Amino acid sequence: MPPRKIIIDTDPGQDDAVAILLALASPEEIEVLGITAVAGNVPLTLTERNARIVCELAGKPDTKVFAGCDAPIARKLITAEHVHGKTGLDGPTLRDPTMPLQDRHGVDFIIDTLRRAPAGTVTLCPLGPLTNIATALDRAPDIASRIQEIVLMGGAYFEVGNITPAAEFNIHVDPEAARMVFACGAPITVMPLDVTHKALVTAPRNDAFRAMGSPVGVAVAEMTDFFERFDKEKYGNAGAPLHDPCVTAYLIQPELFTGRHINVEIETQSELTLGMTVADWWRVSGRAPNAMFMGDIDADGFFELLTNRLSRL
Ligand code: BDR
Ligand code: CA
């Protein structure tokens, strides 16, 4: 099978960085057509820069990186420096990027790519707030039917929320965008907190990254050390969840994940539950399914895949 063509839409973020590294390390399964940065964990000027830093760390400076939207569709940006640090990639010492940022806006790149490629051959992989994807769908509704699949990290059901008691960060930051994406009609696969909170970087798993001894292995271990401090305290777990790499791991080894094809709606009105993913896990609403909502992961298999692939870089 030829590699799957994808666009990574991202707000790096240490876990975004690992997701990108995994994709760039897996050319047999994944062809990264481009990376579009969005404001999220930190402002856009940092996320587009961080995306370029990560490509250079991977030894792939030819990867096309575009800057997208710098603020949610209808709200003020909420960032997460309390988790990811001031730069978004705090932890390791990483070199300033020298590869260029592409001239075109990220949203234009998404639209043009989907229009030019044969229908059903490009997958979108959002790892941050859904602002770029929703803006593209709003400006070019014809692209919805051309998308092969949207595989995204966001939302939660049994795990409820991480930025508010009811909502996960990516969806909460731009709930209007999320609502548009979940209503667009394209096949959607969701990696919610229910899955990512089982992908914990325990000490032995982090040691395995460090033991690679390569710049990538050491950087991943140091990034994890950084955000782990916050997450371990918050959740009291044996390690921090590695959210976004679940998306790129799914493209390589989908059998690591199990879930249900269900209806998912996004709360955009209530102040209390803004950005909640109302996932009809028990199929009680009668509403038509619009997403494959994952619920479980083979965590050992996931970390084995990550370690094997990252050691190639
Ligand atoms: C999501 O929010 C961000 O902080 C992470 O990068 C991930 O995409 C987890 O809620
Ligand atoms: Ca992210």
Side-chain angles (χ1 to χ4, degrees):
M1 266 229 293
R4 209 159 150 173
K5 295 181 194 305
I6 71 165
I7 297 175
I8 300 178
D9 187 67
T10 177
D11 62 338
Q14 293 89 348
D15 61 321
D16 301 72
V18 180
I20 294 167
L21 291 170
L22 177 60
L24 293 176
S26 305
E28 302 92 334
E29 295 92 355
I30 299 176
E31 181 184 346
V32 180
L33 300 177
I35 298 179
T36 51
V38 67
N41 287 323
V42 286
L44 181 69
T45 45
L46 289 171
T47 59
E48 63 83 354
R49 184 175 181 278
N50 290 347
R52 288 183 291 137
I53 289 175
V54 174
C55 292
E56 289 188 1
L57 176 66
K60 311 273 182 191
D62 295 337
T63 312
K64 292 192 170 88
V65 175
F66 302 82
C69 299
D70 64 2
I73 286 177
R75 295 171 192 274
K76 263 186 76 176
L77 178 65
I78 298 167
T79 52
E81 284 87 355
H82 61 292
V83 183
H84 301 276
K86 216 166 162 228
T87 65
L89 277 190
D90 278 18
T93 307
L94 296 164
R95 260 184 288 159
D96 288 344
T98 56
M99 63 184 273
L101 180 68
Q102 299 295 308
D103 283 343
R104 243 182 319 160
H105 193 282
V107 169
D108 292 328
F109 173 72
I110 293 169
I111 295 172
D112 294 349
T113 305
L114 282 163
R115 280 183 174 162
R116 274 191 201 140
T121 60
V122 175
T123 293
L124 304 180
C125 298
L127 311 176
L130 290 158
T131 319
N132 285 342
I133 311 297
T135 305
L137 286 164
D138 186 47
R139 281 190 17 212
D142 57 289
I143 62 172
S145 61
R146 308 185 66 80
I147 299 169
Q148 181 177 9
E149 187 178 359
I150 300 174
V151 185
L152 67 92
M153 191 280 135
Y157 180 64
F158 294 99
E159 286 286 301
V160 203
N162 61 355
I163 187 74
T164 75
E168 181 278 330
F169 178 80
N170 290 342
I171 307 295
H172 180 74
V173 171
D174 199 343
E176 284 76 17
R179 173 169 271 199
M180 288 164 69
V181 169
F182 277 84
C184 81
I188 299 180
T189 295
V190 184
M191 295 294 166
L193 296 182
D194 309 275
V195 168
T196 67
H197 280 185
K198 292 173 188 148
L200 300 178
V201 192
T202 57
R205 287 169 178 164
N206 205 27
D207 289 347
F209 292 141
R210 202 181 310 273
M212 285 175 204
S214 62
V216 166
V218 173
V220 168
E222 290 179 352
M223 286 192 242
T224 311
D225 282 342
F226 182 85
F227 72 81
E228 200 158 66
R229 271 183 262 156
F230 170 82
D231 276 346
K232 266 173 143 174
E233 202 174 301
K234 180 173 170 189
Y235 299 112
N237 284 333
L242 206 47
H243 307 281
D244 294 337
C246 291
V247 166
T248 39
Y250 172 77
L251 301 177
I252 303 166
Q253 252 181 270
E255 66 279 8
L256 292 173
F257 302 89
T258 50
R260 293 187 180 193
H261 192 228
I262 56 169
N263 178 268
V264 181
E265 303 292 335
I266 311 296
E267 175 58 53
T268 57
Q269 303 290 322
S270 156
E271 230 175 87
L272 200 57
T273 58
L274 187 71
M276 185 173 187
T277 41
V278 181
D280 187 8
W281 186 259
W282 303 113
R283 301 190 176 107
V284 290
S285 70
R287 292 189 286 261
N290 58 350
M292 184 68 195
F293 198 84
M294 294 303 183
D296 211 350
I297 177 175
D298 168 359
D300 285 334
F302 169 73
F303 279 96
E304 198 184 316
L305 173 71
L306 257 183
T307 312
N308 285 342
R309 294 301 171 97
L310 296 187
S311 63
R312 294 170 164 187
L313 294 174

